[in-house]
Amino acid sequence: MKMIATPQSMQFDTVLPLQSGASLRGYALSFETYGELNADKSNAVLICHALNASHHVAGSYAGQDKSEGWWDNMIGPGKPLDTDKFFVIGVNNLGSCFGSTGPMHINPDTGRVYGADFPVVTVEDWVNAQARLLDALGIQTLAAVMGGSLGGMQALSWALQYPERVRHAVVIASAPNLTAENIAFNEVARRAIVTDPDFHGGHFYAHGTVPKRGLRIARMIGHITYLSDDVMNEKFGRQLIAAGKGGAQDDYLFSTLEAEFQIESYLRYQGDKFAEYFDANTYLLITRALDYFDPARTYGGDLSHALARASCKFLLVSFTTDWRFAPKRSREIVKALLHNRRDVSYAEIDAPHGHDAFLLDDPRYMGVLRSYFDSIKEPA
Amino acid sequence: MKMIATPQSMQFDTVLPLQSGASLRGYALSFETYGELNADKSNAVLICHALNASHHVAGSYAGQDKSEGWWDNMIGPGKPLDTDKFFVIGVNNLGSCFGSTGPMHINPDTGRVYGADFPVVTVEDWVNAQARLLDALGIQTLAAVMGGSLGGMQALSWALQYPERVRHAVVIASAPNLTAENIAFNEVARRAIVTDPDFHGGHFYAHGTVPKRGLRIARMIGHITYLSDDVMNEKFGRQLIAAGKGGAQDDYLFSTLEAEFQIESYLRYQGDKFAEYFDANTYLLITRALDYFDPARTYGGDLSHALARASCKFLLVSFTTDWRFAPKRSREIVKALLHNRRDVSYAEIDAPHGHDAFLLDDPRYMGVLRSYFDSIKEPA
C-alpha cells in the first residue's frame, strides 16, 4: 500500500538573520512528515534536500499517479529509513521554488516579487530555518539528520551548528566544500541563465518571460556531472537516434543542429523538462549556497578544527564513480572526524551511476542505510 | 633568434566531395611552412590542428610581438620537431575561421555568405583536403603526420586514408572516437550557441550580430574539460577574487551575479576573449567533426579491423590527468595496432595539467617527442 503524503506549510513571523547580514522579515517553510512522532519525541529524522528537490521526500499524493517523493525508495514503511519506527520530516529550503518562501514570492519590504532581490541564503541559513521548524514541531533533538549531495552538507552543518540537537548525521555523496571544478560548472550554468535575454536581471516575472534557454543549458551541464562516464557509455554510448528508430546505424545525418546521438536527445529532453518547472533565481541561489559552503574556512582551512564542534555519531557514504563529489571528499570528512575521535562509520559503495547513485536502488547502499537506522532506532 | 612565419594560401578549383554527400566547388587552404623541403622531398611533417587552433603552428609573424604559433614550444630550430631537419607544414582546416574556406566566406552557388549552410565536414574530409595541399606542394610521402586531440584524430585518419603516403603517425592526447560524455559536452556547447537569439539560425552575419553569449558558455565548458581537477585546485582552488585584490579572505560578497571566486573570473575572461574572435558556425562544425570521427564504425565497432589498413609506424602519447581524452582511449588505439602487429611506441606522461598538457612544456613529454623525431629524421 502506498504511503500518502500531505504537504504542509508553516509561517514564521520572526526575523531570520542571514549569514550575509541581510535578513528575512517573515517566511514560510513547506514540509511533509511521514510516520508518527513518539511520546518522548526522540524518533525524528530530518531529511535535507539537494539542488533539484523539495520537501516531497517520500510517499505519493492522493489520487496522483507517479507522484512519489524523490527519496521514496529510501523512506517509507519497511524501507531502509522505516517510517513505522521513525518520524521523518522533509523540508523545502528557503529560496526554493517548491513552496517555501523564495524569489517568486512577494518581498514584504517592497510589495513586489523578490526576483533577483531575494537574499543570498547559505547552508547555515537553511539549517537555522530548519531548526525553527523543529522548534515549532516541538522537537528538541533529532534522532538523525540526513541528506545527499547539498543535503549532506546541511546534515554536516546541523552537526556543527546544533551539536546538542543531533544524535546522528548521515552524510551521503557529499563534500566538505566544492572544488574549483565544481564551482566552475556552477558558474557556467549561472552565466547561461544570467546572460539569457529573458532573464532581465532576475526580474523576468515582471516581464512575463522565463529564461528557458539558460535553464536548459544549466540542466544539461548538471546532468552530465551527475552521471559517470561509464554509465553514460553504457546507457547511450555512441548510439544514434536514427538507430533507435529502426534506421540504419550508419546513417549519420551530417547536421550540426539536429540531435544525432541519443545522448543529445536525452540531454535536450532533460533540459526542456527542467526549464518548464524550475525557477532561474532559485537555481542561482542554490548553486551559490553550494559554492559558499566551507565549514573549515573560518578555521584557516583546518577541517579537523572545524568539525571539533560536532558531537553526534556519523555515517558517511560515497560512491566510487561519483566525480562530482568523489569518495576522496567524503574521506576528508571521515579523517577530520576521526582526528576528533568521533564515532564515524563510512561506506564507499562500488556503484556505476556516478553522483546520481545516491538516489538509486543499490542493494549494498540500501543495506548500509537499513543497518544504520536499525541500530539507532532506540534512543541512546 | 625567432623563426619568422609567413602565412600562405592555396586555391583549389577542383570539386572536393565530402563524406556527407555534399561537395565544395572550390576552396582555399591557409597554411604555413617552416624549414626546408629536402631534395628528395622526404622530410615533410604535417601538423593537424585541434578545435581552437590554426595553420599558425610555429614561429612568429614579423613585427608582431607575442604572435608565436600554438605549438611553438614543440616546433622550430633545435626544438623537439627540429625545423633544421624537417620541413613542417601547418594547415588550417576547412570550416575554420582562420583563413581556409569556412562559414563566413561566400558560397559560390548562392553568392551569399555560407553561414549555417557550410557543409558538415569530417576528419576524413579534412585529410582529403590536406592531401591535395601536399599534392600541390609536390610532396608524395610524409615523414610524419602529427596532431594532438582532434589533430591526433586527423593523424590517425591519415594513416588509414593514405597509408602509402605516411611513414610515421604521431597521435597525442587523442582517442579512437568520442565517448558519450565527450559528445554531451559538445552538445551543451552547441545548444548554448544555437539558442542564443543572436545566432539567427547560423546567418547572424547578415543580421550584424554575433552569438557571443553562446560562444562564451561554449568556451567556459570547453575550458573546464581541458584542465584537470587537480590543476584547477592548484591554480585557483577556492581563492576569492577579493583575496587576490588584497581583501580579506573571508569577505564573501554574497552575490549570485558577481564573480566571487577566482576560477569564475578566469572562466569569464576566457569566454569573453574567445567570443571576440571565434566563429560560432566554426565551433559547431569542428565539434561535430569530433563527434563523427569513429574509424571503427564501418567495421562494426572493431577497432583492430579498422586499423589494419594502417602501415606506418606510430607514436602515441597520453597524459595521466587528461579526462577528456583519457589514457585508456590511447591504449585502445595501441592495443588495436599491436593486434595488427604494427610498430607502435606509447608514452603515458604523468602530467598534472589534464588535456591541455599536450600544448605545454613538460620535459618528459618533450623528451619523448625529441627522441622520436631524432630517430626518424633519415628516410626509412
Side-chain angles (χ1 to χ4, degrees):
Chain A
M1 206 193 80
K2 275 190 178 179
M3 181 169 70
I4 298 300
T6 309
Q8 305 175 60
S9 183
M10 181 89 69
Q11 179 69 36
F12 297 85
D13 295 320
T14 43
V15 170
L16 183 75
L18 303 174
Q19 207 185 345
S20 65
S23 60
L24 284 170
R25 264 215 279 164
Y27 58 96
L29 291 182
S30 291
F31 67 103
E32 293 182 5
T33 69
Y34 322 97
E36 299 293 331
L37 190 61
N38 62 8
D40 60 0
K41 301 182 175 183
S42 65
N43 70 335
V45 176
L46 179 70
I47 306 297
C48 306
H49 70 76
L51 202 152
N52 176 36
S54 73
H55 51 290
H56 183 41
V57 176
S60 298
Y61 295 136
Q64 290 183 39
D65 276 352
K66 297 187 178 176
S67 65
E68 289 83 9
W70 56 271
W71 227 348
D72 190 62
N73 56 347
M74 177 72 80
I75 298 162
K79 295 186 181 176
L81 174 46
D82 189 347
T83 52
D84 289 338
K85 295 165 187 164
F86 291 99
F87 176 66
V88 177
I89 306 155
V91 58
N92 188 218
N93 284 326
L94 288 170
S96 174
C97 51
F98 295 123
S100 294
T101 300
M104 69 292 299
H105 292 126
I106 300 292
N107 179 350
D109 291 338
T110 65
R112 285 177 296 138
V113 168
Y114 277 110
D117 300 330
F118 195 86
V120 166
V121 282
T122 64
V123 166
E124 287 80 359
D125 295 330
W126 286 336
V127 167
N128 287 332
Q130 291 161 7
R132 288 191 180 180
L133 175 66
L134 295 193
D135 293 343
L137 296 173
I139 296 165
Q140 175 53 31
T141 306
L142 290 166
V145 57
M146 170 158 108
S149 191
L150 176 56
M153 290 175 167
Q154 294 162 61
L156 178 59
S157 209
W158 257 99
L160 303 177
Q161 292 175 247
Y162 298 98
E164 72 290 354
R165 297 187 71 171
V166 183
R167 289 197 290 121
H168 296 269
V170 180
V171 178
I172 302 173
S174 195
N177 61 28
L178 293 196
T179 63
E181 188 183 84
N182 292 147
I183 296 172
F185 279 121
N186 282 346
E187 170 69 359
V188 182
R190 280 192 297 264
R191 295 313 291 170
I193 290 170
V194 165
T195 63
D196 184 328
D198 287 331
F199 182 67
H200 295 292
H203 294 287
F204 51 89
Y205 318 100
H207 289 78
T209 60
V210 173
K212 287 191 183 180
R213 287 176 288 244
L215 280 165
R216 283 191 197 105
I217 297 297
R219 183 57 163 177
M220 291 169 86
I221 294 169
H223 243 282
I224 297 173
T225 69
Y226 303 150
L227 299 178
S228 72
D229 189 29
D230 285 351
V231 86
M232 257 200 208
N233 280 331
E234 194 187 302
K235 276 177 88 164
F236 304 102
R238 296 181 51 82
Q239 289 284 317
L240 303 181
I241 295 166
K245 287 178 180 159
Q249 168 70 32
D250 56 344
D251 279 333
Y252 276 164
L253 301 172
F254 293 103
S255 168
T256 59
L257 303 179
E258 297 294 314
E260 172 84 89
F261 296 91
Q262 290 188 14
I263 181 67
E264 296 179 301
S265 60
Y266 172 78
L267 287 177
R268 289 188 191 188
Y269 172 77
Q270 294 293 341
D272 288 348
K273 202 172 66 167
F274 188 71
E276 290 299 320
Y277 73 83
F278 207 84
D279 178 72
N281 284 309
T282 293
Y283 202 89
L284 303 184
L285 288 168
I286 296 191
T287 55
R288 219 25 157 180
L290 273 162
D291 293 352
Y292 280 142
F293 183 68
D294 187 9
R297 187 162 155 271
T298 47
Y299 294 87
D302 183 341
L303 188 63
S304 294
H305 197 171
L307 300 194
R309 282 174 287 162
S311 57
C312 70
K313 296 179 178 180
F314 281 85
L315 170 64
L316 280 104
V317 180
S318 72
F319 301 92
T320 49
T321 56
D322 182 353
W323 58 281
R324 191 179 170 100
F325 291 120
K328 69 176 174 184
R329 306 308 318 278
S330 285
R331 278 188 248 121
E332 289 175 36
I333 300 172
V334 171
K335 198 177 156 194
L337 290 169
L338 291 176
H339 187 261
N340 287 298
R341 299 174 182 277
R342 293 296 175 269
D343 185 329
V344 51
S345 302
Y346 175 53
E348 197 166 304
I349 307 287
D350 190 1
H353 303 96
H355 189 59
D356 259 2
F358 90 88
L359 295 168
L360 302 177
D361 273 326
D362 178 284
R364 284 161 299 186
Y365 169 43
M366 290 291 159
V368 166
L369 269 292
R370 181 180 293 277
S371 301
Y372 195 80
F373 280 109
D374 279 353
S375 75
I376 70 173
K377 64 176 182 274
E378 298 307 321
Chain B
M1 207 193 80
K2 276 189 175 176
M3 182 167 72
I4 298 299
T6 308
Q8 305 175 62
S9 184
M10 182 88 71
Q11 179 68 38
F12 297 85
D13 294 321
T14 42
V15 169
L16 182 75
L18 303 173
Q19 208 185 343
S20 65
S23 59
L24 283 170
R25 264 216 279 163
Y27 58 96
L29 290 182
S30 291
F31 67 102
E32 294 182 6
T33 69
Y34 322 96
E36 298 294 330
L37 190 61
N38 60 9
D40 60 0
K41 301 183 176 182
S42 65
N43 69 335
V45 177
L46 178 71
I47 306 298
C48 305
H49 71 75
L51 201 152
N52 175 36
S54 72
H55 52 289
H56 183 41
V57 175
S60 298
Y61 293 136
Q64 289 183 41
D65 277 350
K66 297 186 177 176
S67 65
E68 288 82 9
W70 56 270
W71 227 347
D72 190 62
N73 58 347
M74 177 72 81
I75 298 161
K79 294 186 180 176
L81 175 45
D82 189 347
T83 51
D84 290 337
K85 296 163 185 164
F86 290 99
F87 177 66
V88 178
I89 306 156
V91 58
N92 188 218
N93 284 326
L94 289 169
S96 175
C97 52
F98 296 123
S100 294
T101 301
M104 69 294 298
H105 292 126
I106 301 290
N107 180 349
D109 291 338
T110 66
R112 286 178 294 137
V113 169
Y114 276 109
D117 300 331
F118 195 86
V120 166
V121 281
T122 63
V123 166
E124 287 79 0
D125 295 330
W126 286 336
V127 167
N128 287 334
Q130 291 161 8
R132 289 191 179 180
L133 176 65
L134 294 192
D135 293 344
L137 296 173
I139 297 165
Q140 175 54 31
T141 305
L142 288 167
V145 57
M146 169 158 109
S149 190
L150 175 56
M153 289 174 166
Q154 293 163 61
L156 178 60
S157 209
W158 257 99
L160 303 176
Q161 292 175 248
Y162 298 98
E164 72 291 355
R165 296 186 71 171
V166 183
R167 290 197 289 122
H168 295 268
V170 180
V171 178
I172 302 173
S174 196
N177 61 26
L178 293 196
T179 64
E181 188 183 84
N182 292 147
I183 296 172
F185 280 121
N186 282 346
E187 170 69 359
V188 182
R190 280 192 296 265
R191 295 313 290 169
I193 290 169
V194 165
T195 64
D196 184 329
D198 286 332
F199 182 67
H200 294 291
H203 294 287
F204 50 89
Y205 320 98
H207 288 78
T209 59
V210 173
K212 287 191 183 181
R213 287 174 289 244
L215 280 166
R216 283 191 198 106
I217 297 297
R219 183 56 162 178
M220 290 169 87
I221 294 169
H223 243 281
I224 297 174
T225 68
Y226 303 150
L227 299 178
S228 72
D229 190 27
D230 285 351
V231 85
M232 256 200 210
N233 281 331
E234 193 188 303
K235 275 178 88 165
F236 303 104
R238 296 180 51 81
Q239 288 285 318
L240 302 180
I241 295 165
K245 288 178 178 158
Q249 168 69 32
D250 54 346
D251 280 333
Y252 275 164
L253 299 172
F254 292 104
S255 168
T256 58
L257 303 179
E258 297 294 316
E260 173 82 90
F261 296 91
Q262 290 189 14
I263 181 67
E264 296 178 303
S265 59
Y266 172 78
L267 288 177
R268 289 188 190 188
Y269 171 78
Q270 294 293 341
D272 288 347
K273 202 172 66 169
F274 189 71
E276 289 300 321
Y277 73 83
F278 208 84
D279 178 72
N281 284 310
T282 293
Y283 202 89
L284 303 183
L285 288 167
I286 296 191
T287 55
R288 217 29 155 178
L290 273 162
D291 293 352
Y292 280 142
F293 183 68
D294 187 10
R297 186 163 156 271
T298 47
Y299 294 88
D302 183 341
L303 188 64
S304 294
H305 197 169
L307 301 193
R309 283 175 287 163
S311 57
C312 69
K313 297 180 178 179
F314 281 85
L315 170 65
L316 280 104
V317 180
S318 71
F319 300 93
T320 48
T321 56
D322 182 354
W323 59 281
R324 191 179 171 101
F325 290 119
K328 70 175 174 187
R329 305 309 319 278
S330 285
R331 277 187 249 121
E332 288 176 36
I333 300 172
V334 170
K335 198 177 157 194
L337 290 169
L338 290 175
H339 186 261
N340 286 298
R341 300 173 182 275
R342 293 296 175 270
D343 186 329
V344 52
S345 303
Y346 175 53
E348 198 166 303
I349 308 286
D350 189 2
H353 303 96
H355 189 58
D356 260 2
F358 90 86
L359 295 168
L360 302 176
D361 273 326
D362 178 286
R364 284 161 299 187
Y365 169 43
M366 290 293 158
V368 165
L369 270 291
R370 182 180 291 278
S371 301
Y372 194 80
F373 280 109
D374 279 353
S375 76
I376 69 173
K377 62 178 182 273
E378 298 307 321

